[in-house]
Amino acid sequence: MACKMVNKGLEVRLYPDEDMVGELNLNIGNARFAWNHLLDEYQKTYMLFKQHGYNRLKCNWTTFNTMLNMLKKAYEFLYLSESSSLQQVYRDLINAFNKFFNEGTGYPRFKSKKHHKQSFRIQNNNNIKIKDNTIVLPKIGAIYYRTSKEYKQLLNSDEIKINNVTIKKHNGKYYAAFNIEVPVESFEKTLNSVGIDLGLKTLATLSNGLKITNLDLSYEEQMIKKYQRILSRRKYNSKRYRKIQKTYWKWIDKKNNKIRDTYHKLSHNIVKFYDVIGMEDLDIKEMFQDSDQSSKLQRIGLSSLVDKIRYKADWYGKILIQISRWFASSKICSNCGYYHKKLKREDREWTCPQCGKHHDRDINAAKNIHEEGLRIYNRNFVNLWCRGDSTVILEAIASIAREVRILELYSSR
Ligand SMILES: [Zn+2]
């Protein structure tokens, strides 16, 4: 069975004692301090350069490393931090700036002490150790952690490689989020393929007719709203405020965990049971433009489901084919190919005027997505075959998913 090393995230809860809490908070505070100062310093120098007609101040390792060294000299308490955690700060800052310059995401923001999520990250230079129930961090020491038996075994195994660990403080609790490399075995081939239509009412409709209803989160949402209301009436940051805030955060966590668990299970099963998976490419921009807040969040949630299916397919040797969102999956009759131009958004069921077949809108769409996915898959398979290099084919199959996506992007232009 094929085996590959993949990057995985793994989060465990930490139980630091009082001294350790002090250490962790110091590192968190210093990382935030460094972020804010480096950001401020870069902005000022950038403007100064511009005023004097120089080119853009380079946003790179050299610039920020020099700035960090100057900062450390001015504020000696920064030496108390684990040193790679401060380098990590400017690496993140460089990433944030690059994203801003190249991808048009938001301008990097200052970090507030009041934000309920705080963190710092340590690069593993062979100095992060896992010993049974403790994590030993350089310059900080050993901290107890608790997690499932399966995770504990994985963390203690020699087969994994720890790249880095992020220590997070979230709602007053501490966590360690590891980025690790793990050997993963491919799933067995099932010779099955599927098309999946995603939606807000029905979460996923499979081309075989199976419908997976969306999560019922009404209770969690009701509780979140309730505590939000109470919070708004209390004095900000008072003792009574913070008490309710904890409960409020608890319900938000509960809701998010429920979504994450469901998406993990669903994506796992889809990738396990199907070798070739056809799905529509969701339009991210359209998602953000959605004026209805709750449907906007649901759409963003859907894209995280697609992400999970995408990386799991890659891990386990399966193929995800994403179909251009211009493909009219809902309007084509999956039985005879008739294009039903007049189909409205609210028509949940319809009868084909050409062949008379009665359709459930979502199942029909999933069937078309399935067909289209297989068509693209076969086209690429044949292309490779025609090049005459049959040995290449098996290795190439794994990369087809990506290649297909690129081809599709070109052909839809
Ligand atoms: Zn028809």
Side-chain angles (χ1 to χ4, degrees), residues 221-408:
E221 268 157 12
Q222 195 187 327
M223 295 310 270
I224 289 169
K225 268 190 191 145
K226 178 183 155 191
Y227 286 103
Q228 213 167 18
R229 263 199 310 273
I230 303 176
L231 269 184
S232 69
R233 288 197 295 263
R234 301 217 163 156
K235 192 174 168 258
Y236 179 72
N237 232 358
S238 64
K239 216 175 183 179
R240 275 158 45 85
Y241 181 93
R242 285 200 297 267
K243 206 177 145 197
I244 292 296
Q245 199 176 34
K246 270 196 180 162
T247 326
Y248 169 66
W249 282 336
K250 192 187 83 189
W251 282 104
I252 290 185
D253 278 353
K254 271 197 179 172
K255 182 185 159 193
N256 290 339
N257 289 344
K258 208 167 159 184
I259 296 174
R260 201 175 52 200
D261 284 356
T262 309
Y263 284 6
H264 266 303
K265 275 181 201 141
L266 181 59
S267 56
H268 183 92
N269 285 330
I270 287 172
V271 170
K272 189 158 187 179
F273 290 122
Y274 300 102
D275 292 353
V276 180
I277 303 149
M279 280 179 113
E280 261 178 317
D281 205 355
L282 297 169
D283 182 8
I284 305 281
K285 266 195 199 133
E286 194 180 280
M287 278 182 222
F288 282 100
Q289 279 160 3
D290 204 325
S291 54
D292 177 4
Q293 194 64 21
S294 86
S295 87
K296 174 175 162 178
L297 288 176
Q298 281 182 49
R299 278 177 208 272
I300 294 171
L302 282 187
S303 77
S304 90
L305 175 62
V306 179
D307 277 344
K308 285 186 176 61
I309 294 176
R310 183 186 303 126
Y311 73 71
K312 284 181 187 176
D314 188 39
W315 286 1
Y316 298 114
K318 302 296 182 88
I319 294 165
L320 170 68
I321 292 179
Q322 286 193 286
I323 288 147
S324 159
R325 64 195 167 83
W326 302 112
F327 177 67
S329 58
S330 311
K331 291 186 177 174
I332 298 168
C333 167
S334 58
N335 190 42
C336 72
Y338 175 79
Y339 182 72
H340 193 18
K341 215 175 174 180
K342 286 177 187 152
L343 190 73
K344 289 192 206 91
R345 251 192 153 178
E346 59 273 18
D347 294 338
R348 305 309 307 165
E349 284 176 35
W350 58 287
T351 305
C352 174
Q354 188 167 282
C355 71
K357 174 121 176 144
H358 189 71
H359 289 300
D360 170 289
R361 183 196 181 95
D362 295 339
I363 297 175
N364 180 57
K367 280 182 178 166
N368 285 324
I369 291 169
H370 185 202
E371 277 301 309
E372 180 68 2
L374 284 182
R375 192 185 64 78
I376 296 169
Y377 172 74
N378 289 333
R379 187 181 71 196
N380 282 272
F381 194 82
V382 169
N383 277 348
L384 287 167
W385 193 267
C386 289
R387 272 185 231 155
D389 194 350
S390 60
T391 53
V392 131
I393 290 177
L394 286 176
E395 289 94 2
I397 287 176
S399 67
I400 282 181
R402 278 184 295 273
E403 202 177 308
V404 162
R405 224 174 108 70
I406 295 164
L407 280 174
E408 274 305 285

Side-chain angles (χ1 to χ4, degrees), residues 26-289:
L26 177 127
N27 277 277
I28 287 173
N30 281 357
R32 185 181 57 237
F33 182 88
W35 171 280
N36 288 341
H37 273 257
L38 291 175
L39 176 55
D40 184 44
E41 204 60 39
Y42 181 79
Q43 277 174 190
K44 281 182 189 154
T45 323
Y46 180 91
M47 292 315 284
L48 204 67
F49 267 49
K50 222 173 154 188
Q51 267 173 24
H52 292 82
Y54 287 100
N55 282 334
R56 198 174 97 189
L57 174 62
K58 277 196 178 133
C59 181
N60 61 14
W61 193 87
T62 331
T63 307
F64 279 100
N65 200 43
T66 318
M67 290 198 310
L68 178 64
N69 285 335
M70 278 155 58
L71 197 65
K72 274 180 166 176
K73 284 206 177 97
Y75 300 96
E76 283 192 346
F77 58 83
L78 289 176
Y79 283 106
L80 297 172
S81 270
E82 200 284 324
S83 63
S84 78
S85 74
L86 296 180
Q87 284 157 9
Q88 197 58 55
V89 167
Y90 67 64
R91 271 193 212 116
D92 291 345
L93 205 46
I94 292 171
N95 277 340
F97 268 115
N98 282 339
K99 272 196 174 162
F100 169 71
F101 287 131
N102 304 325
E103 292 168 29
T105 54
Y107 190 80
R109 280 198 233 173
F110 288 102
K111 291 190 171 167
S112 161
K113 208 177 190 169
K114 284 175 187 156
H115 198 271
H116 63 282
K117 281 182 187 172
Q118 305 274 348
S119 68
F120 70 97
R121 187 178 314 145
I122 300 177
Q123 205 63 34
N124 185 17
N125 300 311
N126 261 332
N127 50 9
I128 296 173
K129 298 270 182 291
I130 308 284
K131 279 183 192 153
D132 299 325
N133 296 320
T134 59
I135 296 165
V136 187
L137 299 173
K139 221 168 174 174
I140 295 169
I143 310 166
Y144 277 99
Y145 74 94
R146 228 182 267 167
T147 183
S148 65
K149 210 173 158 186
E150 183 195 354
Y151 277 10
K152 198 171 273 181
Q153 262 176 1
L154 190 62
L155 279 173
N156 280 291
S157 118
D158 297 330
E159 285 179 359
I160 67 150
K161 188 181 153 227
I162 297 174
N163 292 328
N164 61 53
V165 59
T166 307
I167 306 297
K168 295 182 189 170
K169 187 182 175 185
H170 183 195
N171 299 347
K173 294 173 195 153
Y174 293 85
Y175 302 88
F178 291 92
N179 179 296
I180 54 176
E181 277 173 45
V182 198
V184 163
E185 263 184 26
S186 300
F187 282 149
E188 265 178 60
K189 296 284 181 281
T190 58
L191 303 179
N192 288 327
S193 61
V194 74
I196 302 169
D197 179 58
L198 293 176
L200 297 184
K201 286 204 182 77
T202 308
L203 177 62
T205 306
L206 272 53
S207 46
N208 62 11
L210 186 70
K211 285 191 171 194
I212 295 145
T213 43
N214 220 332
L215 278 168
D216 181 13
L217 295 164
S218 51
Y219 185 63
E220 284 82 0
E221 268 157 12
Q222 195 187 327
M223 295 310 270
I224 289 169
K225 268 190 191 145
K226 178 183 155 191
Y227 286 103
Q228 213 167 18
R229 263 199 310 273
I230 303 176
L231 269 184
S232 69
R233 288 197 295 263
R234 301 217 163 156
K235 192 174 168 258
Y236 179 72
N237 232 358
S238 64
K239 216 175 183 179
R240 275 158 45 85
Y241 181 93
R242 285 200 297 267
K243 206 177 145 197
I244 292 296
Q245 199 176 34
K246 270 196 180 162
T247 326
Y248 169 66
W249 282 336
K250 192 187 83 189
W251 282 104
I252 290 185
D253 278 353
K254 271 197 179 172
K255 182 185 159 193
N256 290 339
N257 289 344
K258 208 167 159 184
I259 296 174
R260 201 175 52 200
D261 284 356
T262 309
Y263 284 6
H264 266 303
K265 275 181 201 141
L266 181 59
S267 56
H268 183 92
N269 285 330
I270 287 172
V271 170
K272 189 158 187 179
F273 290 122
Y274 300 102
D275 292 353
V276 180
I277 303 149
M279 280 179 113
E280 261 178 317
D281 205 355
L282 297 169
D283 182 8
I284 305 281
K285 266 195 199 133
E286 194 180 280
M287 278 182 222
F288 282 100
Q289 279 160 3

